[in-house]
Amino acid sequence: MTQAEREQENEKEKEQRGIKRPIAPPVIPEPLQEQIQSNFIVVLHPGSKTLRIGRATDTLPATVPHVIARRHKQTCQPRYEDGWLVREGLNKPESNEQRQNGLKMVDQAIWSKKMSNGVRRTPVSAEQARSYNRLIRPAGLDTSSRMKWTTTAHHPEHLVGEEALYVNPTDCYNVHWPISRGQLNVHGGAGGSLTAVLADLEAIWSHVIQKQLEIPLKDLKYYRCILLVPDIYNRHHIKELVNMLLLNMGFSAIVVHQESVCATFGSGLSSACVVDVGDQKTSLCCVEDGVSHRNSRLCLAYGGADVTRCFFWLLQRAGFPYRECQLSNRLDCILLQQLKETFCHLDQVLKHKIHKCIEDIVPTVTLFPLFLQDISGLQDHEFRTRFPESPALLYQVRLGDEKLQAPMALFYPTTFGIVGQKMTSLQHRSQGDPEDPHDEHYLLGTQSKQDQSSKASAERKSLPKPPGFEGELSSQGGDPSERGGGAHGQDVELGHSQNDCLMGGAEMEEPPSALLSRKTAMTQFEGKALGLDKAILHSIDCCASDETKRKMYSSILVVGGGLLFHRAQEFLQHRILNKMPPSFRRVVESVEVITRPKDMDPRLISWKGGAVLACLDTTQEMWIHQREWQRFGVRMLRERAAFVW
């Protein structure tokens, strides 16, 4: 009998005696290489205010307000509505003082600029506009605005998008925005549980796929999905979204990728510092050759909606003639958003077409360009309001520097008056997942032990050791510098290079005093409201090498809809040039701020990048199939995601 036959006999005997062999963990198979039709790939870019979704072959995505109205389950149920322009931290005792201080800094920046004739701008007092606007009364245009509330006579379980925006407040519906500041809108109020938020997202996305893309839900098993996620993401939330898309909605496969990288794909740039100014958050990240630098990621808790609210505050200071306007009123929020876009916007074509309640906002003079310093003084404008069950009205309003001051708040965010809130977010290290035991904590721990072992072995071989030295060395664990690089629990420090920013190892190895000091510094940093220009400089400064930093200064890509103001590109470029380190000012050939690559709408660039991603050969390796997800779960994201999970 051969050796192999004897071993087989022994194995059989062991099994018969009930001795089981150790079970090896299942191995994740290699990704399949197959031809995929792009028209069967759905690209999904969910935002705080807007959902953009379409086939990868579509020229433009379907753009839908990311909101849902759900019918009350009980007749006596109290009504609940997520705030749009209202947020926490606005009504603190220090809020008004902070606004005033921020406004002083804004005014100083405006008045310090010279016009083309060399003369400094003349300040325009809000009192000048207020004395005129207080006397204004609206003129009736029509007894009926011809606007109607969404019909709910057939008692639908839920309404999505524009229909949800125009649900009558007296109807028995709660209104929810399932994403807030780029993250799932989980809160303690009605409909704020993670399960409820995921159900809202599934209802919205399913509705749009059926109605806008005309894809029956039963056919999603033939389709694949590309999901765009924020650069600073919540791992548990991403896991739940993938679970929902693959198992609940029934897509056959999915690719998860970051918004910043997709923005570079959509703009055709190989490397860029991506600045995404959205409605409720502003994210920054340096991308090089399709890779997002983890240490450069930064998320600011303000965006276009905060500019709108600031503009409303300035309008009130100037005696805004529409005195019934309230931030808690959904239609008034739409009105204020449209006024901001009209009075400060570069191109009327870029306005959202969903806002029906103010169809004709017509200024009586040429619209005031945001950063054009040659125009000063007061200007008169007209706007019309059309609300359901109300007459159509025509208002006149006189405005001065308010149209400059509101967008400038992006560079002086204390003007927003937000107190006691976390204003800056960094990428936090994973807290671990029971489905993924071999995560980065495990890898860092094993790597640290291997480093210690190899270091000790090398020292034992190279040095003459006195008796007992080996035991002393092994008890100390080798050179302290090899213990995971001074372990930290966050990914981004406040240093000036990747070596300063990147953290490894385990927190328990860090001295308690150093750990406390670092956490205190992190908390203080995250409490600061960085201006947009300072945030860009910080993000670039966290890149690993000077060569990468030079690349980023030469290509600052601005996407999203929060900075669509006239001459914002030149203004931002000017501030970056003035504030960048002198050492780089000498070596960087030019600081270029790109706001409309290929003359594209900056709000669509990330979605377009997702469509480009669908056509790349390298995407074949990133698909996570439904059966793989069922078997391996979140491990698939670590194996297949194009970024470090």
Side-chain angles (χ1 to χ4, degrees):
M1 181 181 291
T2 65
Q3 180 69 22
E5 291 174 340
R6 282 197 297 271
E7 289 179 356
Q8 288 180 357
E9 288 294 330
N10 290 336
E11 291 292 335
K12 288 180 180 178
E13 290 178 5
K14 287 180 181 179
E15 290 181 3
Q16 290 172 358
R17 292 198 303 266
I19 300 175
K20 296 183 180 180
R21 290 174 293 177
I23 300 174
V27 179
I28 294 178
E30 291 295 318
L32 299 174
Q33 299 292 325
E34 54 184 317
Q35 189 65 33
I36 303 170
Q37 294 180 323
S38 297
N39 61 323
F40 281 86
I41 298 177
V42 174
V43 181
L44 204 155
H45 185 196
S48 303
K49 179 192 169 191
T50 306
L51 168 68
R52 295 180 177 90
I53 183 171
R55 292 178 175 85
T57 52
D58 292 343
T59 305
L60 297 173
T63 302
V64 180
H66 210 179
V67 61
I68 185 171
R70 286 196 176 272
R71 185 161 60 88
H72 291 174
K73 295 182 178 179
Q74 300 174 355
T75 54
C76 58
Q77 185 175 335
R79 185 176 174 278
Y80 177 86
E81 182 169 336
D82 287 336
W84 178 358
L85 297 183
V86 177
R87 60 178 293 174
E88 293 183 4
L90 293 174
N91 298 316
K92 303 287 185 179
E94 308 93 339
S95 294
N96 193 55
E97 181 183 356
Q98 187 165 298
R99 285 192 200 97
Q100 298 292 349
N101 292 336
L103 189 59
K104 287 178 183 177
M105 291 188 287
V106 168
D107 287 340
Q108 288 174 0
I110 294 173
W111 300 338
S112 65
K113 303 295 180 185
K114 291 183 179 180
M115 297 187 286
S116 59
N117 58 7
V119 178
R120 294 190 182 276
R121 285 180 49 85
T122 303
V124 180
S125 170
E127 182 59 40
Q128 295 176 263
R130 184 162 58 245
S131 59
Y132 173 83
N133 291 331
R134 281 176 174 172
L135 303 176
I136 296 298
R137 296 294 179 268
L141 295 176
D142 196 341
T143 55
S144 173
S145 65
R146 298 188 296 277
M147 290 290 300
K148 294 183 179 179
W149 297 110
T150 300
T151 302
T152 58
H154 55 298
H155 303 296
E157 286 295 322
H158 61 259
L159 297 161
V160 168
E162 211 174 327
E163 290 184 336
L165 280 179
Y166 291 94
V167 166
N168 193 325
T170 61
D171 288 343
C172 298
Y173 283 82
N174 289 342
V175 179
H176 302 290
W177 299 85
I179 295 183
S180 176
R181 315 213 175 278
Q183 305 294 331
L184 298 189
N185 189 15
V186 178
H187 56 83
S193 67
L194 179 60
T195 303
V197 171
L198 290 169
D200 288 343
L201 288 173
E202 183 177 348
I204 295 172
W205 297 355
S206 298
H207 175 88
V208 177
I209 287 171
Q210 289 185 98
K211 301 298 182 182
Q212 302 269 8
L213 305 188
E214 298 180 347
I215 301 174
L217 295 182
K218 62 182 179 62
D219 290 345
L220 287 183
K221 59 187 176 185
Y222 305 116
Y223 285 79
R224 300 176 179 221
C225 176
I226 291 181
L227 175 66
L228 275 59
V229 299
D231 303 310
I232 295 180
Y233 50 86
N234 183 307
R235 290 171 177 82
H236 179 57
H237 291 176
I238 301 302
K239 168 187 166 184
E240 293 296 335
L241 288 175
V242 173
N243 201 62
M244 180 188 78
L245 287 163
L246 289 179
L247 304 186
N248 295 8
M249 297 180 66
F251 281 100
S252 63
I254 191 172
V255 165
V256 179
H257 217 328
Q258 294 167 299
E259 294 171 331
S260 62
V261 178
C262 289
T264 60
F265 292 158
S267 59
L269 300 172
S270 60
S271 301
C273 175
V274 180
V275 183
D276 186 352
V277 187
D279 185 67
Q280 297 181 12
K281 56 93 178 169
T282 299
S283 60
L284 302 95
C285 182
C286 293
V287 178
E288 188 175 20
D289 299 324
V291 177
S292 160
H293 285 284
R294 196 175 193 177
N295 306 312
S296 67
R297 298 175 198 165
L298 204 62
C299 185
L300 310 175
Y302 60 78
D306 297 278
V307 176
T308 303
R309 188 181 58 253
C310 181
F311 187 46
F312 175 55
W313 172 63
L314 293 168
L315 288 174
Q316 286 182 308
R317 289 175 76 248
F320 190 42
Y322 174 39
R323 295 171 183 84
E324 297 81 11
C325 190
Q326 297 289 335
L327 290 177
S328 57
N329 186 308
R330 195 183 329 122
L331 299 190
D332 284 345
C333 290
I334 297 174
L335 167 65
L336 292 169
Q337 184 92 356
Q338 192 79 339
L339 286 174
K340 179 195 72 173
E341 292 179 357
T342 302
F343 293 147
C344 302
H345 212 279
L346 171 63
D347 190 349
Q348 296 295 319
V349 177
L350 294 180
K351 290 193 302 181
H352 272 300
K353 60 185 179 182
I354 64 168
H355 302 318
K356 303 184 297 184
C357 67
I358 30 179
E359 295 179 338
D360 298 307
I361 300 184
V362 184
T364 57
V365 296
T366 305
L367 290 181
F368 185 79
L370 173 55
F371 294 116
L372 186 61
Q373 304 295 342
D374 286 354
I375 300 177
S376 61
L378 296 169
Q379 290 183 308
D380 292 342
H381 303 273
E382 290 181 353
F383 64 93
R384 302 175 186 178
T385 62
R386 298 183 184 275
F387 296 113
E389 301 177 356
S390 300
L393 300 176
L394 174 67
Y395 286 88
Q396 289 185 343
V397 60
R398 179 170 291 178
L399 297 175
D401 286 342
E402 291 80 14
K403 295 167 290 188
L404 272 171
Q405 292 165 335
M408 284 281 284
L410 289 169
F411 302 93
Y412 299 93
T414 52
T415 315
F416 295 136
I418 303 167
V419 176
Q421 299 296 304
K422 182 178 176 180
M423 297 301 293
T424 304
S425 297
L426 306 171
Q427 180 69 65
H428 287 228
R429 177 153 288 162
S430 170
Q431 298 303 307
D433 191 307
E435 291 185 17
D436 186 20
H438 299 94
D439 59 7
E440 60 183 326
H441 294 287
Y442 172 83
L443 297 175
L444 284 169
T446 54
Q447 183 67 42
S448 179
K449 291 177 182 178
Q450 290 173 1
D451 289 345
Q452 293 174 30
S453 176
S454 61
K455 180 74 173 180
S457 177
E459 288 183 350
R460 282 196 298 269
K461 291 179 181 178
S462 61
L463 298 175
K465 311 172 191 61
F469 180 80
E470 292 89 351
E472 182 182 349
L473 179 63
S474 61
S475 65
Q476 290 177 353
D479 189 340
S481 65
E482 296 297 320
R483 299 179 201 167
H488 298 144
Q490 308 291 339
D491 286 322
V492 182
E493 265 285 354
L494 311 183
H496 298 285
S497 70
Q498 190 175 29
N499 292 334
D500 297 327
C501 295
L502 190 62
M503 310 177 199
E507 281 190 357
M508 64 184 67
E509 296 181 15
E510 187 175 20
S513 59
L515 177 64
L516 179 61
S517 175
R518 181 182 57 77
K519 287 191 172 182
T520 302
M522 187 72 70
T523 302
Q524 290 175 348
F525 179 76
E526 291 188 331
K528 291 181 179 178
L530 288 180
L532 187 58
D533 48 349
K534 292 182 180 179
I536 293 172
L537 293 170
H538 177 85
S539 179
I540 294 176
D541 204 32
C542 276
C543 291
S545 66
D546 288 350
E547 178 60 31
T548 301
K549 293 176 185 178
R550 282 196 291 269
K551 283 184 186 178
M552 298 304 139
Y553 280 120
S554 302
S555 182
I556 299 173
L557 175 64
V558 181
V559 298
L563 201 63
L564 294 176
F565 303 110
H566 186 53
R567 296 199 67 184
Q569 177 182 2
E570 295 93 326
F571 184 82
L572 180 58
Q573 185 175 3
H574 174 74
R575 291 183 72 92
I576 296 296
L577 275 168
N578 283 346
K579 295 188 177 184
M580 67 188 295
S583 57
F584 283 98
R585 203 175 299 159
R586 291 191 295 268
V587 296
V588 175
E589 294 182 1
S590 64
V591 173
E592 186 174 1
V593 176
I594 305 162
T595 55
R596 295 184 64 84
K598 302 178 182 178
D599 202 31
M600 289 176 56
D601 184 343
R603 293 170 297 190
L604 306 181
I605 290 174
S606 294
W607 180 90
K608 198 68 177 177
V612 171
L613 178 67
C615 306
L616 298 178
D617 293 337
T618 52
T619 308
Q620 294 276 359
E621 302 173 1
M622 297 190 288
W623 288 110
I624 300 172
H625 295 267
Q626 189 183 92
R627 288 185 179 180
E628 293 174 329
W629 182 261
Q630 288 174 321
R631 184 178 182 189
F632 300 105
V634 75
R635 286 178 56 193
M636 293 304 303
L637 284 169
R638 184 170 303 284
E639 294 289 334
R640 298 276 173 84
F643 50 93
V644 179
W645 175 250

